[in-house]
Amino acid sequence: MFEYLDFVPRERFRRALAVSPDGAAVAYSSNAGGVFDLWTIPASGGRPRRLTHLSDQAVAQIAWTPDGKSLVFTADREGDEQYRLYMVGVDGGDVTEVGHGPDCQRVLADEPFDTEGRHLVYAANDRDATVQDILVRDLPDGTERRILPPPGVQFTPVRVSPDGRWLSARGSRSNSDVAAYLIDLADAGSVPRCLTAGYGQRFFAPGPWTPDSSGFYLCTDLWGEFTTVGLYLLPDASLTQVVADEWDVELIGSAGDTLFWTVNENGCSTLHARRNDAVLRLPQIPQGVVDALALTPDAEQVVLEIDSAARPREIGVLDLSTGFRYLTDTRPPAIQAVTPVEPDLVSYPAGDGRHVHALLYRPHAPGPHPVLLSIHGGPEAQERPQYVYSGLYQHLLAQGIAVFAPNIAGSTGYGRAHRLLIYRDWGGVDLNDLDHAARYLRTLPGLDAGRLAVMGASYGGFAALSCLARLRHPWAAGVSLCGPTNLLTLARACPPTWKTTVASVLGDPDTDAEHLLRRSPITYADAIDAPVFVLQGARDPRVPQDESDQIVARLRGRDVDVRYDVYLDEGHGFTNRDNEIKAYGDIARFITSHLLGE
């Protein structure tokens, strides 16, 4: 019988890819050395090279300098999300910090350099903790131009135009209210201009520029329920649709006259391209989820991070002439020795006439099987066929435990209306969907819904605790990883730059206090009687440790069987490989002991 460790990938990658200016090398963030360091690997394949040797930091974003001699990256410390900017040579060596200043949230632009590499563009909330400004740093002389957003808007720089004149930026009020802005880099006295104000409060996420700098592509939900690709042209201020689909377009990239994009088709990614106005017929890529995409300058190769239920996230290259090949192989021993379980795509009826899409993983062995109800984070996220929790699903399946993972109200991937249902209604429509999920499981042959556990991380932890506290099902156990327990204290303690978004998505703690408390698991903690495992990062800036402390104190005060593990050197999730393996291994043992009696 395989242990959990046998399902753990050899390494894990962050969603950060960058192709060198000559197309010869790929830079990425990997925890193969214990923490998320900066690595490179030849695009043609070969031995990876570790450029940094960090101890308590984690690389988040990466970009090459235009001359290809150095890389710039962001890194925080022990998960505190206070990112600093660094630079390192392509051969490794000393890491130098770019600028200094107080701890704050620094965010690199997607393409942060002008063509000469003189100016570096990033965002920071160093001036005002509640406001994210854009800064354009002159690297030779160390001066900076600061660009302030309009009130209530958080700026994120996106790309400098090929001619160096313009900077595109996102201006966010919430995850669904995102506008496209244009900044004139040639005029220091100019103010940012909102290009999409006339279209209302929709989603406009700027993407790559056209080669002549006359416009840029963007993802938008302007034309319907799903995000598509539009083209904004500066000369006539026009916005036209260039890609339409019945599912969400997620990632877009371009090089020269070639445009690539991925589409989320019921959870799986498909890759598409066109050159000028002609659609390109692409070789197949492995079935799964494309998490990141980068192009070589000639657009003849696409570098992908691709994840699937049966194979951990890998880095691969799609060559338009020869097809797809993997650059990495992180498969653990168990996945190479047994047949991994692929999920079935199912749907079940919700209480208001909707149908909720879900993934159902059934063990290969005959049932009836106990079930883990697994709830994704976000809440604006999606349960997709991926190698979740570093192999935890596949380990549980090998033990004979089924996994049911629904995309309840608030989930992305099924249209704008479904996603917005969660706004200011946490613990409402979503909990009703989870109630119907538990009821649906009772109807399925081969499952034993009388042995039912629930688990989630972040928002999913909140939802799992809400299930235990507010739904009268025979819960055998529950797991909350960095889960909010008191929505009022959560809203008051959110990161400063999140204030506007939290008020829109969760509720305003000053005006909605009663509502937030009514929807909080802590309010109903006395109804929890199942064993609970709570995990928390002590440095978590999104869900502070106090959230977990509150629920644990209430449960222990009633002698409920509760285990509480606090990781002193982690934030919202895990950046240290040893911590991650220990945590998920402990979760695996906790779930199997309560569902299988082992």
Side-chain angles (χ1 to χ4, degrees):
M1 180 70 71
F2 288 106
E3 302 294 329
Y4 168 69
L5 278 173
D6 298 317
F7 291 87
V8 175
R10 295 192 179 97
E11 61 183 303
R12 195 159 64 84
F13 307 103
R14 281 196 157 180
R15 297 179 182 179
L17 282 180
V19 176
S20 61
D22 62 3
V26 178
Y28 59 96
S29 176
S30 164
N31 71 351
V35 299
F36 284 99
D37 275 297
L38 176 59
W39 297 70
T40 61
I41 191 170
S44 59
R47 189 177 184 87
R49 181 170 190 170
R50 184 180 179 182
L51 300 190
T52 63
H53 291 75
L54 306 176
S55 57
D56 58 355
Q57 292 180 283
V59 172
Q61 293 177 285
I62 305 167
W64 292 82
T65 56
D67 61 10
K69 295 180 180 179
S70 303
L71 295 106
V72 64
F73 64 92
T74 60
D76 67 343
R77 192 175 302 278
E78 294 183 340
D80 65 1
E81 299 186 14
Q82 300 296 295
Y83 296 99
R84 290 186 174 270
L85 288 170
Y86 301 93
M87 192 169 287
V88 65
V90 70
D91 295 325
D94 292 336
V95 174
T96 59
E97 185 172 356
V98 180
H100 295 279
D103 286 342
C104 68
Q105 295 168 318
R106 294 175 176 87
V107 181
L108 277 175
D110 293 347
E111 293 180 4
F113 290 102
D114 59 6
T115 54
E116 297 178 355
R118 180 183 180 94
H119 296 102
L120 174 67
V121 182
Y122 67 100
N125 65 333
D126 58 328
R127 176 185 61 87
D128 181 336
T130 66
V131 180
Q132 190 162 284
D133 302 335
I134 289 176
L135 294 103
V136 182
R137 184 176 184 84
D138 188 308
L139 292 173
D141 66 23
T143 60
E144 289 184 333
R145 172 187 173 188
R146 185 178 295 270
I147 301 160
L148 308 184
V153 172
Q154 299 300 327
F155 263 170
T156 304
V158 181
R159 287 175 171 87
V160 178
S161 61
D163 63 4
R165 171 70 186 277
W166 306 105
L167 171 67
S168 60
R170 291 194 303 270
S172 304
R173 294 183 184 272
S174 72
N175 293 337
S176 61
D177 182 2
V178 178
Y181 281 79
L182 186 69
I183 296 162
D184 189 344
L185 296 179
D187 182 0
S190 65
V191 297
R193 179 157 53 100
C194 183
L195 303 179
T196 54
Y199 299 102
Q201 295 181 354
R202 306 288 291 191
F203 179 81
F204 301 93
W209 285 86
T210 57
D212 62 0
S213 301
S214 65
F216 57 85
Y217 298 97
L218 52 79
C219 277
T220 177
D221 59 7
L222 176 63
W223 294 290
E225 278 289 294
F226 296 92
T227 56
T228 59
V229 180
L231 174 63
Y232 188 94
L233 294 177
L234 302 185
D236 58 0
S238 64
L239 177 57
T240 57
Q241 187 175 13
V242 295
V243 172
D245 207 287
E246 296 178 352
W247 298 96
D248 280 328
V249 173
E250 293 188 309
L251 304 175
I252 52 177
S254 73
D257 57 4
T258 307
L259 175 71
F260 290 85
W261 66 95
T262 62
V263 176
N264 173 355
E265 296 186 6
N266 206 15
C268 289
S269 298
T270 57
L271 180 65
H272 307 266
R274 71 177 199 177
R275 184 162 289 160
N276 295 320
D277 291 326
V279 174
L280 295 181
R281 190 178 297 275
L282 300 177
Q284 281 192 328
I285 62 173
Q287 185 175 12
V289 178
V290 175
D291 292 315
L293 174 153
L295 309 178
T296 55
D298 61 4
E300 289 301 316
Q301 293 183 322
V302 188
V303 182
L304 306 170
E305 280 190 12
I306 191 163
D307 193 356
S308 70
R311 180 166 181 161
R313 184 183 298 175
E314 306 277 17
I315 299 174
V317 175
L318 178 69
D319 188 296
L320 271 59
S321 300
T322 61
F324 180 86
R325 65 180 185 277
Y326 283 110
L327 292 180
T328 61
D329 188 352
T330 70
R331 290 175 294 172
I335 290 299
Q336 299 184 64
V338 302
T339 302
V341 174
E342 298 276 4
D344 295 324
L345 301 178
V346 300
S347 66
Y348 64 90
D352 55 3
R354 291 176 297 110
H355 274 74
V356 176
H357 294 263
L359 301 182
L360 174 59
Y361 296 79
R362 291 180 178 270
H364 291 309
H369 303 289
V371 185
L372 172 67
L373 175 60
S374 182
I375 309 167
H376 66 68
E380 292 175 87
Q382 184 181 7
E383 187 74 33
R384 305 177 71 173
Q386 296 173 287
Y387 201 76
V388 181
Y389 295 120
S390 292
L392 178 61
Y393 281 11
Q394 293 295 337
H395 168 69
L396 295 177
L397 290 159
Q399 303 295 312
I401 297 172
V403 178
F404 188 70
N407 283 303
I408 56 177
S411 302
T412 55
Y414 301 97
R416 177 182 172 89
H418 184 73
R419 176 165 51 89
L420 295 185
L421 287 172
I422 194 69
Y423 274 43
R424 302 173 70 88
D425 197 25
W426 288 34
V429 62
D430 52 343
L431 190 61
N432 188 265
D433 284 358
L434 291 167
D435 184 25
H436 281 79
R439 297 172 188 271
Y440 172 70
L441 291 172
R442 297 178 193 168
T443 70
L444 297 180
L447 301 182
D448 181 1
R451 291 183 291 164
L452 180 63
V454 62
M455 169 184 168
S458 190
Y459 160 80
F462 159 82
L465 292 170
S466 295
C467 286
L468 296 174
R470 299 177 60 193
L471 299 182
R472 295 298 89 201
H473 294 289
W475 303 109
V479 178
S480 171
L481 174 60
C482 299
T485 67
N486 185 326
L487 297 183
L488 179 58
T489 55
L490 177 75
R492 286 174 174 165
C494 72
T497 54
W498 289 23
K499 295 291 185 183
T500 301
T501 297
V502 166
S504 298
V505 176
L506 181 60
D508 189 322
D510 295 328
T511 59
D512 302 316
E514 182 180 348
H515 169 75
L516 293 172
L517 285 174
R518 190 166 59 250
R519 294 297 182 80
S520 297
I522 193 70
T523 302
Y524 309 94
D526 289 347
I528 297 177
D529 52 19
V532 181
F533 187 7
V534 177
L535 300 93
Q536 176 71 45
R539 298 174 66 85
D540 191 336
R542 305 188 194 188
V543 181
Q545 182 181 331
D546 177 64
E547 291 295 312
S548 292
D549 288 347
Q550 291 182 58
I551 198 78
V552 169
R554 286 284 295 275
L555 296 178
R556 285 180 171 169
R558 296 176 41 244
D559 294 326
V560 174
D561 180 3
V562 56
R563 173 176 175 176
Y564 188 26
D565 288 0
V566 177
Y567 287 81
L568 298 179
D569 56 348
E570 294 287 7
H572 198 65
F574 297 101
T575 57
N576 181 286
R577 179 175 169 82
D578 290 341
N579 288 346
E580 178 182 66
I581 292 173
K582 179 184 184 306
Y584 294 148
D586 290 342
I587 291 171
R589 286 184 286 274
F590 179 83
I591 292 173
T592 54
S593 68
H594 289 288
L595 286 182
L596 300 177
E598 297 178 356

